[in-house]
Amino acid sequence: MLKKTFLLAIAVLLSLGVVSAQDAPNPWRQFEGTTIVVSWPSLYHFQVAQTLIPEFEELTGITVEVDSVQYESMHDKQVLEMSKPGGGDYDVVSWVIFWKTEYVNKGFLKPMAEFFTNPDLVMPDYDAADLIPAYLESGSVVGGRRAYLPGVTAALYGVPFSGETSVLVYRKDIFDEYDLKVPETYDEMLETAEWITANVPNMYGITSRGAAGHQIVHAWLLHLSPYGGSVLDDNWNPVVNSEAGVAAAEALKRILDASPPGVTSYGIGEASNSFLQGEVAMFLDNDRIINQTRDPNQSRIDGKIGVALHPTAVTCGAETGGFAIGIPTNARNPEAAFMFIQWMTSKETDRKLAKLGGQPGRMSTLLDPEMQAMYPEYPVIAKQLECANVDWRPLIAEWGALNAPILGVQLSEFVTGQKTAQEALDEAARLIREELTRAGYYNWMNLPGMSQ
Amino acid sequence: MAKFLNNRRNLVPFIFLLPAVFILVVGLVVPLVNAFRLSFYEWSMGTPLASARYIGLASYERLLGDAGVGESLGVTLRFGFWVILIEMALGITLALLLERQIRGAALFRTIFVLPLMVSPVVVGLIWRYLFDARSGLVNFYLEEIGEAIPFLQQFGFTTQLWLADRNLAFTSIIVTDIWQWTPFVFIIILAGLQAVPREVLESAYIDGANWLQMTWFVKLPMIRSVILITLLLRLVDVFRALEVIYILTFGGPGRSTELLSLHIYKTAFTSQQLGYASAISTLLIGIIFVLSLGILVFNNPLKERADF
């Protein structure tokens, strides 16, 4: 009886808020007063994320300083900071996913297990399995098969933040007006693009990146996956000059020929712009374009677009790119940094970010009916992600040396008519082999008894 | 020798030179030597320098067989030849024209010097927009003229893919460089011309020399050393030009506008091969050195007393 009264009294007191949870520590506030420094790019998704930082600061009492740089120049700055012995300036870094293998190889990043093994740090409903798997694997899993893919030896070094995939975005109004079928295969897409360029006044069928270097390689890789090709095989042999590689290059050439004049100097900015300005009917590149069409400051085609799956050739395959976010080994406040990452990529924040125009990072966001009502492309993207190729380009540390300097020059020489596709890609394969030989990739293969 | 050193007066020039030498050593010689040393190593950014792998002359061996280096060296030499030739000719002509006391000369001089004051990145952006195939002003006027006089259309007065075609892209970077650097030649030559003593010109005038003779036989020979110095400075600059091309074409299409300096930049920061980039830099320094030396041996403006 006495016990019952006592319990009742406590219940009453609790409900009145007299005895609050004050004595139990609030895990969010365990790093109150700490300042963390975040290095991330000055891209739209991150600008949106920045507007949410005050909420995080209020919740945790952690002060966040953001060092926002153009993403091309972020690498050297991050490398410099992360290689400082005894603590660098950054507590959180966001990397373009093709830097991940280099960063991990050089010992720059803390394995996430260090934090996920600490129940004091991890929010119970974080649900890491809900993070979009394709982005997780391409952006933050390192050390498995072929060094950059998942596998038994792999570990997690960050979480995806601002990932992207590719879909076909088309002008619904033009397709309706001319009664065109939305292409599902490459052949259909190429024919439709050529038809529109030839027959629709003041309209080009498609647009693309085409500038020498990284840009044209990106365009070619977008088509390489669906044609069933890859850059390297499992033994690191370059296979860019395979039948699939040549087919992808020839598809790229047809796309460029149906694009606005001058496309061979286009980067992603010019390519996006030609679509946003209403000059072209199809855009096949990353899905960030969809949000851009909704921005009246840069788009004349708001509400006129439809979104379809990346067309297939011999197989389906979309890109997986963008950024991931993690914690440097020499961070001064790694736990507070983890709090920040966890909060930024939590289910709730992810939905908030997406509502403000950021990139969705979780399946729950893509499948949320409320979100789907707001963004009708979400079901398409969710479906596309089932067939997004994590291995659409080799994310090895040497990728920088293969990408723009070798493939970027050879492909450019092909599309400007200096070489045939086969010649250009043969030469690229030769140069890639040279480069990887220098880097020691074939040393094991050359031992007696090992076969290539 | 001891006697020389004992005389304190003899030491004075050396003491005065010391700060300059110090700055030169810290700012120039140390980085140069370090870069040279790095060219014998394979080093990846972000790893301790001590862990760099010594590879001896491998980078230089690779250099000899590297088609990319050869090609961009060729681009640089062709680029250098055309821009220096045209800039010198234009700069000297303009200086000769505007040196005379004509009405509005000061205004023209100011206008001509303006491009020099624009930051290279902005120069790159301005010309990138001008050369844009779809919305650029260059194509706009070409088309307008072509439409007004259809006869001219067969001579290229139509839409041109300035930055997307190999030959046109190369022409574009030459035009841009001429726009940017002719003022530099112009202003130095102008200063040289204005320093030519009046008496000499007057005596030539009294001897009955006409303007052409005066220019050809009096003025230009008298500023020969100024011209040579300008040539030298431009030569060195051409090999260092990077920002404008970086913005304008980034070396494309293919490698048609990839100057050696851009190639070094890409090797160092895109491919992350700092050792190899140092080796190419050494080659670049060697080439500039030989070319400069050639000009100086041919005619050393420092050796003779000033021309006037």
Side-chain angles (χ1 to χ4, degrees), chain A residues 296-377:
Chain A
N297 290 326
Q298 48 174 330
S299 160
R300 295 184 183 183
I301 55 169
D302 187 13
K304 294 180 183 168
I305 61 153
V307 177
L309 293 176
H310 189 131
T312 57
V314 298
T315 172
C316 68
E319 68 144 306
T320 47
F323 298 80
I325 192 167
I327 300 163
T329 315
N330 66 354
R332 291 175 206 270
N333 304 296
E335 280 101 355
F338 178 77
M339 282 302 190
F340 177 76
I341 292 177
Q342 164 171 257
W343 186 84
M344 265 299 169
T345 57
S346 67
K347 282 184 182 173
E348 200 193 330
T349 315
D350 195 63
R351 262 197 305 274
K352 261 187 213 167
L353 268 171
K355 276 183 192 161
L356 292 169
Q359 291 288 105
R362 285 178 166 271
M363 289 313 286
S364 59
T365 308
L366 282 173
L367 300 174
D368 182 347
E370 188 201 340
M371 297 302 300
Q372 292 191 347
M374 188 170 175
Y375 297 130
E377 73 273 15

Side-chain angles (χ1 to χ4, degrees), chain A residues 66-316:
Chain A
V66 173
D67 185 20
S68 174
V69 200
Q70 215 199 343
Y71 86 85
E72 292 92 339
S73 44
M74 218 165 56
H75 174 269
D76 298 347
K77 222 175 157 184
Q78 289 181 350
V79 167
L80 205 66
E81 286 302 332
M82 294 193 294
S83 57
K84 276 186 190 165
D89 282 354
Y90 294 147
D91 297 294
V92 175
V93 290
S94 174
W95 58 88
V96 183
I97 67 168
F98 47 75
W99 301 337
K100 69 172 184 178
T101 314
E102 184 205 345
Y103 280 13
V104 170
N105 177 257
K106 289 179 179 168
F108 289 161
L109 297 175
K110 273 185 183 289
M112 293 308 275
E114 224 172 278
F115 307 98
F116 280 111
T117 46
N118 187 349
D120 202 21
L121 289 176
V122 186
M123 55 197 283
D125 60 343
Y126 181 69
D127 194 6
D130 177 43
L131 295 165
I132 293 174
Y135 295 164
L136 189 85
E137 287 173 9
S138 62
S140 31
V141 172
V142 189
R145 199 165 68 83
R146 278 203 230 170
Y148 57 91
L149 293 169
V152 285
T153 51
L156 189 69
Y157 288 88
V159 292
F161 191 58
S162 188
E164 64 186 41
T165 188
S166 54
V167 283
L168 178 71
V169 185
Y170 62 95
R171 285 283 298 278
K172 214 174 169 52
D173 53 336
I174 304 292
F175 273 68
D176 285 347
E177 190 184 336
Y178 290 88
D179 207 16
L180 297 166
K181 177 180 172 292
V182 178
E184 286 169 15
T185 68
Y186 262 78
D187 287 339
E188 287 170 9
M189 179 179 76
L190 295 170
E191 275 161 28
T192 311
E194 282 157 1
W195 187 88
I196 293 173
T197 302
N199 294 304
V200 179
N202 298 321
M203 180 69 60
Y204 294 93
I206 195 164
T207 187
S208 172
R209 318 182 189 211
H214 163 70
Q215 303 286 355
I216 194 166
V217 183
H218 190 107
W220 174 69
L221 288 171
L222 277 175
H223 315 314
L224 186 63
S225 269
Y227 277 97
S230 69
V231 176
L232 303 171
D233 71 6
D234 271 339
N235 292 320
W236 306 116
N237 296 308
V239 288
V240 290
N241 51 347
S242 65
E243 220 169 278
V246 174
E250 265 149 15
L252 171 64
K253 179 83 169 83
R254 277 176 74 185
I255 288 173
L256 296 179
D257 287 343
S259 296
V263 69
T264 46
S265 64
Y266 277 15
I268 179 69
E270 289 88 354
S272 303
N273 217 21
S274 59
F275 184 65
L276 295 170
Q277 291 303 311
E279 293 169 359
V280 297
M282 285 186 282
F283 180 89
L284 179 64
D285 205 305
N286 72 61
D287 57 341
R288 287 174 209 273
I289 191 80
I290 303 169
N291 266 327
Q292 290 173 2
T293 63
R294 301 190 175 109
D295 175 4
N297 290 326
Q298 48 174 330
S299 160
R300 295 184 183 183
I301 55 169
D302 187 13
K304 294 180 183 168
I305 61 153
V307 177
L309 293 176
H310 189 131
T312 57
V314 298
T315 172
C316 68

Side-chain angles (χ1 to χ4, degrees), chain A residues 72 75-76 79 83 102 106 108 204 212-213 260-266 270 279 400-401 404-405 408-410 412-413 416 418 427 435 438-439, chain B residues 42 44-47 53 62 67 71 128 132-134 159 161 163-166 246 249-255 258 265-266 269-273:
Chain A
E72 292 92 339
H75 174 269
D76 298 347
V79 167
S83 57
E102 184 205 345
K106 289 179 179 168
F108 289 161
Y204 294 93
V263 69
T264 46
S265 64
Y266 277 15
E270 289 88 354
E279 293 169 359
V409 170
Q410 296 304 326
S412 182
E413 292 193 338
T416 51
Q418 301 294 300
E427 177 68 1
E435 196 65 57
R438 243 191 318 272
Chain B
E42 194 181 275
S44 171
M45 252 200 299
T47 54
R53 203 157 58 89
R62 181 179 165 195
E71 211 176 311
R128 189 164 143 186
D132 190 281
R134 300 268 290 151
T159 302
L161 307 177
L163 300 176
D165 175 276
R166 295 178 67 89
Y246 182 99
T249 61
F250 201 59
R255 235 185 230 123
E258 190 171 292
Y265 176 90
K266 285 181 174 175
F269 298 108
T270 313
S271 309
Q272 302 276 319
Q273 298 168 343

